[in-house]
Amino acid sequence: MKIACLGGGPAGLYFAISMKLRDAAHDITVFERNKPDDTFGWGVVLSNETFENLAKNDPLSAGEIRRHFAYWDDIAVHYRGQKIVSTGHGFSGIARKKLLQLLQQRARGLGIDLRFQTEVASAAELAKTHDLVIAADGLNSRTRNEFAAHFKPGIETRKNKFVWLGTHQKFDDAFTFIFEETAHGWIWAHAYQFDADTATFIVECADDTWQKFGFGTMSQDENCRACETIFAKYLGGHRLMSNAAHVRGSAWLNFPRVLCETWSYENIVLMGDAAATAHFSVGSGTKLAMESAIAMANYLRSEPTMAAAFAKYEDARRTEVLRLQSAARNSLEWFEDVERYLHLDPVQFNYSLLTRSQRISHENLRLRDKEWLEGAEAWFQRLAGAGDNTVRRPMFAPFRLRDMRLKNRIVVSPMAQYKAVDGCPTDWHLVHYGERAKGGAGLVCIEMTCVSAEGRITPGCTGLYAPAHEAAWRRIVDFVHTETDAKICCQLGHSGAKGSTQLGWEEMDAPLKSGNWPVLAPSAIAWSPRNQVARAMTRADMDLVRDQFVASAEMAARAGFDMLEIHCAHGYLLSSFITPLTNRRTDKYGGSLENRMRYPLEIFHAVRAAWPAEKPISVRISANDWVGADGIEPRDAVAISRMLQEAGVDICDVSAGQTSIAARPVYGRMFQTPFSDRIRNETGMATMAVGNIFEPDHVNSILMAGRADLVCLARPHLADPYWTLHAAAKLGDRGEAWPEPYYAGRDQLYRISGNAESMPTAV
Ligand SMILES: Cc1cc2nc3c(=O)[nH]c(=O)nc-3n(C[C@H](O)[C@H](O)[C@H](O)COP(=O)(O)OP(=O)(O)OC[C@H]3O[C@@H](n4cnc5c(N)ncnc54)[C@H](O)[C@@H]3O)c2cc1C
Ligand SMILES: Cc1cc2nc3c(=O)[nH]c(=O)nc-3n(C[C@H](O)[C@H](O)[C@H](O)COP(=O)(O)O)c2cc1C
């Protein structure tokens, strides 16, 4: 085949090498506009995994690359006058220039035609004279633009500014992050050694800080001097250097996240940064470029036609790119939002930084650096009041809200059972909640319990609006208190426009087949075209419902619940006041967010006055309507939480969605946790996280990174009432109390879990 590689970066060169290795008969030319050693940037990082892939593909060039690697195992973080070091991270770095020289050498040795200082004006021209054109022309790919209508590139320019500098200061003991507070805001550096006497030194900051420093109006030299002054105490008198002469102006950039919808066109295929980018903070751009080159070479050999090879390449590499871009997004967003975390204790800040991409889990960190992690766990436990010598996972730390002390951080999330009779809980509820309380969770939250018969969602929903309800709940609460050391929370709610609907396992949210009752809402809007139009509440209705909430709270207090949660989420009555999607009122309860919050806050104040002062109250909110700017977005959720916090709400239970049939949620592991993180770290309010959290590792990393104070698990507790005790056994923690009659089962489980070293230990 006659092949043209447009671009002599890692993608173009490594593809040429990989093809030639598979068939020496290929006639391959690499066209590169620059001179051979005329390259931007400093060092690149390659993981062990990438290196192994390179070694399998071409042991010779891999061996040469390895000879020039700088290795380091530690990550050091300079923050608020402290240097925190953790180990076991295993990186290697190489000068970008050296990498390219080695690849050029290897390519020449294989007989590949390297044409430097050759600018290609159009890939289309090359395509006429070659069987295959690899468009590896980098971040600003001309080919991608030439065929933009076909490749459909999605380009998202990120918020932060960064500049890629170098220095002769040694950072050879660790990959180093330096966070500096200046008069113009925070600015930070990512520094790593890549050869004997040079290190990469990427400086990054928020746009606002960048503007205030006036970096945009400085020459590259002035920029280096300004950054030297900022980071002087880490540079040991060494200078910062720029080698971005090819970039116009100050050389500061905003990172563009690129992903093309299609990667090939006729005989032209995009590769490397031209097709997709990965943010530098996960150090994977070169990895993506070189691994894509290997994949393409493989498919061109294994597939019968070029079109089939392109299809396979795109399919396989897109999955990999999406995986990496998702980790990169988490990582770059962490840096964009870093000011949110700059109040954290250095231990927690370090943990948050290390786990920012969510690729490194809690237990994975233990494998890397057990000692550091145990120190962090001890810090967490100490802060939680567990005593100075406790080293246990964060999920097993106590937590206090007013006078309620929870033994651990696991919450059974409220889950409607639809098994009540006329609002009255039955033996089903006694057994269901009793089992979950025995199962080890610190807090069991009962299902949405309605303040009136009309306020029920379905005919199977529980209530607290009749003496019989109070007595039945009292029996359940007494059981929990007598037989377990769990606490029990009562979630109170009113269904609003989502009321008078079928049981959860029938047609959820659909009207009853018969016997519908009229429903109330802030505005005369139906939940869906199938549901009845709600009656817009009058002030008299509002007084009535408020008094019903108070009466239910009084019953909950008499029944002995430890905590109350007011349900202001998921499109039910109070939630439908908060979201503009369903609140169209023109009085003082509609319009601005302050107005829309007025009635839910009125309810809270009235309930708070009736609820024992020593017991806490939580409010559950939907932090995202998932409809974009027309509804509640996470930034509104921060404002909502501030209002709740000022009103005296003790903790915010941060859920999302279910407020509109137009919602388009983005699901994934822990998908709602970012909202809890944002609220907790921007307002300082305690939060509970919920939503697709199912592994102990998820829980521990959420807590340790300070993304929530408590973690709610719903569906996992339907599948396993003993989720907490089972998790403890699996993790080898024997500090959680089992019910006495179950000791024999506990001991057997401990034995088969095979974890000898199992008691909470002292440091
Ligand atoms: C600040 C920063 C730090 C980074 N750190 C790392 C890291 O630690 N690890 C890592 O793996 N990656 C890192 N990267 C990313 C990495 O540099 C790129 O992902 C990688 O270089 C992509 O390789 P490529 O071959 O696709 O593109 P490039 O390396 O950009 O190569 C494209 C080549 O095409 C040439 N070219 C373009 N147009 C034409 C034309 N019309 N005619 C002829 N030649 C042309 C260019 O001159 C260039 O040499 C970093 C990037 C930045 C910005
Ligand atoms: C069967 C079922 C019933 C639910 N009922 C309620 C409820 O009564 N009140 C509430 O706030 N959330 C309710 N939820 C939502 C859960 O509390 C939780 O927010 C959601 O399921 C996401 O958590 P998960 O991924 O751990 O399941 C219910 C969820 C399920 C699965």
Side-chain angles (χ1 to χ4, degrees):
M1 251 204 280
K2 189 164 186 240
I3 302 170
C5 293
L6 200 180
L13 284 170
Y14 205 61
F15 174 77
I17 294 168
S18 304
M19 267 317 262
K20 200 75 177 170
L21 283 172
R22 279 158 185 77
D23 187 345
H26 291 312
D27 170 6
I28 309 179
T29 311
V30 176
F31 298 93
E32 168 57 51
R33 61 152 78 110
N34 290 335
K35 293 191 214 119
D37 53 2
D38 176 28
T39 181
F40 73 93
W42 300 90
V44 295
V45 183
L46 295 172
S47 67
N48 292 344
E49 183 204 3
T50 304
F51 181 77
E52 277 162 27
N53 292 337
L54 300 186
K56 255 187 262 152
N57 183 57
D58 179 24
L60 208 93
S61 60
E64 278 302 299
I65 292 170
R66 188 209 289 275
R67 275 199 329 111
H68 293 86
F69 265 164
Y71 294 97
W72 65 97
D73 237 8
D74 295 356
I75 295 183
V77 181
H78 292 268
Y79 168 65
R80 293 198 182 279
Q82 287 198 33
K83 178 182 179 186
I84 301 191
V85 181
S86 59
T87 193
H89 302 290
F91 296 102
S92 16
I94 184 167
R96 178 179 152 93
K97 196 183 235 177
K98 178 51 79 182
L99 175 70
L100 292 181
Q101 282 167 351
L102 294 174
L103 296 180
Q104 288 163 10
Q105 224 173 61
R106 178 67 170 139
R108 269 192 217 98
L110 289 168
I112 293 161
D113 182 4
L114 301 183
R115 303 220 189 132
F116 291 100
Q117 294 178 275
T118 310
E119 174 97 30
V120 174
S122 154
E125 289 306 309
L126 282 183
K128 288 182 195 152
T129 50
H130 292 78
D131 301 314
L132 169 65
V133 177
I134 297 293
D137 48 355
L139 191 60
N140 300 314
S141 169
R142 189 180 283 171
T143 314
R144 195 177 61 217
N145 295 340
E146 195 177 344
F147 300 104
H150 184 80
F151 292 129
K152 299 196 187 75
I155 302 181
E156 188 184 272
T157 305
R158 299 306 312 196
K159 288 192 286 191
N160 279 354
K161 294 280 185 191
F162 73 95
V163 63
W164 200 356
L165 304 176
T167 177
H168 293 309
Q169 165 67 330
K170 291 249 189 266
F171 288 97
D172 53 356
D173 54 347
F175 191 114
T176 303
F177 292 101
I178 304 167
F179 291 85
E180 274 296 289
E181 192 171 17
T182 71
H184 299 316
W186 285 82
I187 184 162
W188 54 95
H190 314 232
Y192 54 92
Q193 197 80 23
F194 61 81
D195 66 23
D197 58 359
T198 331
T200 297
F201 198 91
I202 301 169
V203 180
E204 187 182 5
C205 62
D207 188 71
D208 181 50
T209 307
W210 185 80
Q211 300 280 0
K212 286 184 185 151
F213 268 107
F215 286 132
T217 58
M218 294 183 195
S219 68
Q220 294 191 15
D221 200 47
E222 287 165 339
N223 259 301
C224 288
R225 305 294 80 80
C227 290
E228 276 162 18
T229 310
I230 296 166
F231 295 104
K233 57 178 182 282
Y234 307 95
L235 289 171
H238 291 280
R239 316 215 81 182
L240 288 174
M241 306 171 284
S242 169
N243 67 358
H246 63 295
V247 181
R248 261 173 287 133
S250 67
W252 285 83
L253 301 169
N254 289 79
F255 187 83
R257 176 201 157 274
V258 175
L259 182 61
C260 292
E261 256 184 66
T262 313
W263 294 13
S264 62
Y265 176 63
E266 295 178 348
N267 59 342
I268 303 172
V269 62
L270 296 178
M271 190 172 287
D273 277 3
T277 57
H279 190 249
F280 58 86
S281 65
V282 291
S284 295
T286 306
K287 165 200 166 74
L288 275 186
M290 294 176 84
E291 290 178 348
S292 291
I294 301 174
M296 186 80 249
N298 280 341
Y299 292 131
L300 283 167
R301 203 165 125 119
S302 67
E303 298 310 302
T305 61
M306 215 154 72
F310 286 0
K312 278 234 160 166
Y313 161 77
E314 206 171 312
D315 198 36
R317 294 310 294 164
R318 181 181 295 281
T319 310
E320 180 62 16
V321 161
L322 287 175
R323 208 173 56 79
L324 248 170
Q325 283 196 339
S326 151
R329 172 184 290 272
N330 294 335
S331 175
L332 70 85
E333 283 180 353
W334 189 91
F335 283 106
E336 287 178 351
D337 297 329
V338 72
E339 306 219 2
R340 185 185 296 159
Y341 306 111
L342 289 164
H343 67 283
L344 294 177
D345 179 279
V347 174
Q348 193 157 48
F349 182 80
N350 192 43
Y351 184 96
S352 177
L353 171 64
L354 293 177
T355 55
R356 69 190 184 280
S357 73
Q358 292 181 25
R359 284 194 300 187
I360 301 177
S361 71
H362 193 74
E363 295 310 317
N364 190 265
L365 259 187
R366 194 183 312 281
L367 293 178
R368 290 168 185 235
D369 192 343
K370 186 163 184 273
E371 200 181 324
W372 183 82
L373 188 67
E374 287 188 352
E377 288 179 336
W379 169 85
F380 191 91
Q381 293 283 347
R382 220 167 25 245
L383 207 74
D388 280 353
N389 295 326
T390 311
V391 180
R392 296 183 72 191
R393 284 157 178 94
M395 64 190 276
F396 303 121
F399 186 66
R400 197 187 172 105
L401 274 178
R402 299 204 180 209
D403 283 358
M404 182 183 76
R405 189 177 183 279
L406 301 178
K407 61 180 168 175
N408 62 42
R409 306 296 182 107
I410 304 296
V411 180
V412 176
S413 199
M415 279 181 288
Q417 297 297 296
Y418 311 105
K419 292 285 264 184
V421 177
D422 292 331
C424 198
T426 66
D427 282 356
W428 173 272
H429 299 87
L430 174 69
V431 175
H432 173 75
Y433 291 116
E435 276 302 282
R436 270 111 202 121
K438 285 194 292 174
L443 180 66
V444 176
C445 191
I446 65 160
E447 64 206 88
M448 175 166 131
T449 293
C450 308
V451 298
S452 65
E454 308 72 47
R456 288 175 302 161
I457 309 166
T458 75
C461 288
T462 52
L464 255 177
Y465 51 85
H469 302 165
E470 184 184 318
W473 281 120
R474 162 123 237 147
R475 182 168 169 243
I476 295 168
V477 172
D478 282 350
F479 175 86
V480 170
H481 287 160
T482 311
E483 299 294 353
T484 81
D485 52 6
K487 302 291 183 209
I488 182 160
C489 170
C490 175
Q491 187 187 57
L492 285 182
H494 186 298
S495 53
K498 288 174 90 174
S500 188
T501 54
Q502 298 180 31
L503 306 187
W505 54 81
E506 295 172 348
E507 229 189 313
M508 190 130 129
D509 296 333
L512 295 172
K513 293 205 173 89
S514 64
N516 282 292
W517 61 82
V519 298
L520 289 176
S523 307
I525 294 174
W527 164 249
S528 82
R530 295 171 63 192
N531 296 69
Q532 60 178 298
V533 176
R535 186 162 64 78
M537 287 172 85
T538 62
R539 184 61 242 184
D541 293 324
M542 290 163 81
D543 288 346
L544 177 70
V545 171
R546 181 201 57 214
D547 294 347
Q548 289 169 340
F549 266 94
V550 170
S552 296
E554 285 166 350
M555 288 188 195
R558 288 194 297 269
F561 282 100
D562 302 292
M563 173 174 168
L564 267 193
E565 175 165 283
I566 302 178
H567 201 337
C568 294
H570 302 171
Y572 299 116
L573 184 70
L574 300 182
S575 159
S576 64
F577 266 89
I578 299 174
T579 169
L581 299 174
T582 43
N583 183 341
R584 304 277 162 73
R585 295 180 77 99
T586 50
D587 60 4
K588 63 180 187 176
Y589 298 98
S592 68
L593 180 61
E594 283 68 23
N595 283 358
R596 287 181 273 126
M597 282 294 288
R598 199 181 301 276
Y599 185 58
L601 286 173
E602 251 178 57
I603 301 262
F604 167 73
H605 286 299
V607 165
R608 185 64 266 181
W611 181 246
E614 70 281 8
K615 294 187 179 185
I617 301 185
S618 148
V619 167
R620 179 169 258 209
I621 61 165
S622 282
N624 194 343
D625 286 334
W626 299 114
V627 297
D630 290 344
I632 295 291
E633 294 191 283
R635 70 163 168 271
D636 304 311
V638 174
I640 292 169
S641 308
R642 281 218 170 87
M643 291 183 229
L644 297 175
Q645 189 182 26
E646 277 161 23
V649 173
D650 298 292
I651 190 164
C652 183
D653 184 352
V654 188
S655 187
Q658 299 175 55
T659 50
S660 161
I661 54 168
R664 294 289 170 267
V666 183
Y667 293 115
R669 244 177 346 135
M670 306 184 269
F671 71 114
Q672 295 171 167
T673 302
F675 313 138
S676 159
D677 180 340
R678 183 160 178 184
I679 290 171
R680 185 176 189 273
N681 289 301
E682 287 188 17
T683 68
M685 188 177 195
T687 62
M688 303 196 231
V690 66
N692 216 14
I693 300 166
F694 49 88
E695 297 277 357
D697 231 23
H698 301 160
V699 177
N700 289 322
S701 60
I702 289 170
L703 294 169
M704 190 70 229
R707 310 182 80 200
D709 297 274
L710 295 175
V711 179
C712 304
L713 287 82
R715 289 164 299 169
H717 277 117
L718 290 182
D720 181 3
Y722 290 79
W723 189 90
T724 304
L725 294 181
H726 290 163
K730 204 162 124 196
L731 292 167
D733 184 296
R734 296 191 179 178
E736 292 300 293
W738 280 61
E740 283 146 343
Y742 298 173
Y743 279 178
R746 175 198 68 183
D747 294 345
Q748 184 190 42
L749 185 64
Y750 283 171
R751 266 195 310 280
I752 51 187
S753 303
N755 220 319
E757 169 209 341
S758 47
M759 288 300 286
T761 52
V763 265

